[in-house]
Amino acid sequence: MRPETEEDVAQLIRTAREPLSPVGGGTRLRPGEGQGERLNVSGLAGVTLYEPAALTLVVRAGTQLDEVQRVLAAEGQMLAFEPDARPGSTIGGVVAANASGPRRVQSGACRDALIGLRYVDGQGEIVRNGGRVMKNVTGYDLVKLLAGSRGRLGVLTELSFKTAPIPPCAATLALPGLDATQAVAALTSALTGPYDVSGAAWLPGQGALIRIEGLEGSVGIRRRALSDRLAPFGEVADGDGACWSDMIPRVAEGDLWRIVCHPSEVARLLAALPQPLALDWGGGLIWVALPSGEVPRLPQWSGHAARVTGESPLTLPAPHPVVARLNASLRERFDPRGIFASESSCKPILQKNS
């Protein structure tokens, strides 16, 4: 199924008798997702409104992410939440996954840049929520709810974003001598200072990485001050600025796990895991590879873990009974026929720190 208009999407959903799996490029599917008949929205493509002076972009959900980024870059602008531009990814898939990159520590997540949307619910009704300007007044904030719902509440058809200027200058500092556990203290020190850090990560072989951006003079001043602050943690060197373009590791064997936590919990979690493939968000995001089918034995913590690649879906810990009831109620309200709700996709819609 590849509808070309929003009304086509609505008609297909109204007449559907079997489960549907909304997809764009299919690049962000997790284990257990995409099991029903695929409803490919890549035909709903194109920018419908772009006002650079107002920092506002309205785009259809099937538009390729790299096309969106080209349009914005031509005007010296970007999506501040820095989604990874994997080949074939659509902007609708970015929102459905609430995909947010390293700049989240400064600018927030994808849902924070989303100011409005249109979608089709499980009854085939076209719904609009939010607006096309940054200052708008709405009732229920469905914009925040749909972001990260992974296609289980409706099919996204059009999205409105606030954009941001591309910083004219950037610098990356590295502390190559730090392991993952040691790096968190340095990253926290940088993030809690007056340096306006836009990236705080750790990579094997590169150590702790900290990015600052802005006007050239400001970057120079903050770079010197930040280097002095980080000196107690070890040698401070120039880092590879290209590393920020895609912080999501790839694994040839085994399963890739994504663990979200508070940075203060990283040491306890890392003690129960093999060496991570990467840390991001100042330690708040851990990427780690485990043997196929293996489940990490983690101490109690405040976040969650999800298997990103592999044969079967799994999210830890299981949702609290109250949260489980809220999730079930949301699915019942948005999709009473169960057209989108797949039990194989077990990640809760409502979840802390997603």
Side-chain angles (χ1 to χ4, degrees):
M1 297 182 181
R2 191 176 184 274
E4 299 294 329
T5 67
E6 186 179 65
E7 184 53 47
D8 289 343
V9 175
Q11 180 62 24
L12 286 170
I13 292 173
R14 284 194 291 266
T15 58
R17 296 294 179 265
E18 300 293 335
L20 299 177
S21 293
V23 297
T27 62
R28 301 181 190 273
L29 294 175
R30 299 257 181 101
E33 296 179 337
Q35 299 301 310
E37 185 171 4
R38 293 198 173 186
L39 180 60
N40 189 331
V41 299
S42 60
L44 278 69
V47 174
T48 59
L49 175 69
Y50 180 32
E51 297 181 347
L55 299 175
T56 303
L57 171 75
V58 183
V59 60
R60 294 188 178 94
T63 309
Q64 296 282 305
L65 174 59
D66 58 2
E67 174 63 20
V68 173
Q69 292 175 324
R70 280 196 297 270
V71 169
L72 293 175
E75 296 291 339
Q77 295 184 359
M78 64 179 183
L79 296 171
F81 55 92
E82 202 173 12
D84 62 293
R86 59 188 68 183
S89 175
T90 62
I91 192 65
V94 169
V95 173
N98 191 37
S100 311
R103 201 175 280 111
R104 181 175 181 173
V105 296
Q106 180 192 61
S107 303
C110 172
R111 61 166 58 95
D112 299 307
L114 194 62
I115 56 179
L117 53 73
R118 293 174 66 95
Y119 70 97
V120 183
D121 68 11
Q123 299 183 82
E125 297 292 331
I126 298 172
V127 182
R128 184 182 71 180
N129 187 250
R132 292 188 170 191
V133 295
M134 282 183 274
K135 292 184 178 180
N136 62 78
V137 179
T138 61
Y140 296 108
D141 195 353
L142 301 182
V143 172
K144 299 293 191 291
L145 184 62
L146 268 291
S149 63
R150 307 194 68 85
R152 286 170 293 151
L153 299 181
V155 180
L156 299 170
T157 57
E158 186 180 81
L159 305 156
S160 304
F161 295 94
K162 60 181 179 182
T163 63
I166 296 174
C169 182
T172 297
L173 300 180
L175 289 95
L178 302 185
D179 63 23
T181 303
Q182 295 167 338
V184 174
L187 299 178
T188 300
S189 180
L191 287 167
T192 53
Y195 309 106
D196 201 17
V197 170
S198 65
W202 175 88
L203 291 174
Q206 298 189 48
L209 299 164
I210 299 157
R211 179 179 60 187
I212 50 177
E213 299 174 306
L215 298 176
E216 183 177 359
S218 172
V219 169
I221 293 171
R222 285 181 285 139
R223 178 178 181 170
R224 289 190 293 272
L226 185 55
S227 295
D228 291 341
R229 178 158 180 155
L230 295 174
F233 295 97
E235 177 190 2
V236 180
D238 291 331
D240 180 10
C243 70
W244 303 105
S245 61
D246 187 1
M247 291 292 295
I248 301 178
R250 309 289 186 262
V251 293
E253 297 181 357
D255 299 338
L256 179 64
W257 282 78
R258 178 182 186 270
I259 303 173
V260 177
C261 64
H262 191 280
S264 64
E265 301 169 317
V266 172
R268 290 191 297 115
L269 294 176
L270 292 182
L273 295 167
Q275 175 170 297
L277 301 175
L279 302 182
D280 204 350
W281 305 348
L285 176 61
I286 303 171
W287 293 99
V288 66
L290 295 176
S292 298
E294 183 173 312
V295 179
R297 296 184 177 181
L298 299 172
Q300 185 174 359
W301 85 107
S302 62
H304 64 273
R307 182 183 281 143
V308 176
T309 64
E311 295 297 324
S312 59
L314 184 60
T315 298
L316 302 172
H320 187 279
V322 173
V323 176
R325 288 198 298 272
L326 287 172
N327 282 316
S329 296
L330 284 170
R331 289 194 291 268
E332 174 62 25
R333 178 64 184 86
F334 283 77
D335 183 24
R337 296 188 298 147
I339 294 297
F340 309 126
S342 170
E343 293 305 316
S344 63
S345 181
C346 60
K347 181 179 183 292
I349 296 166
L350 296 177
Q351 190 160 249
K352 296 187 297 182
N353 307 320
S354 62

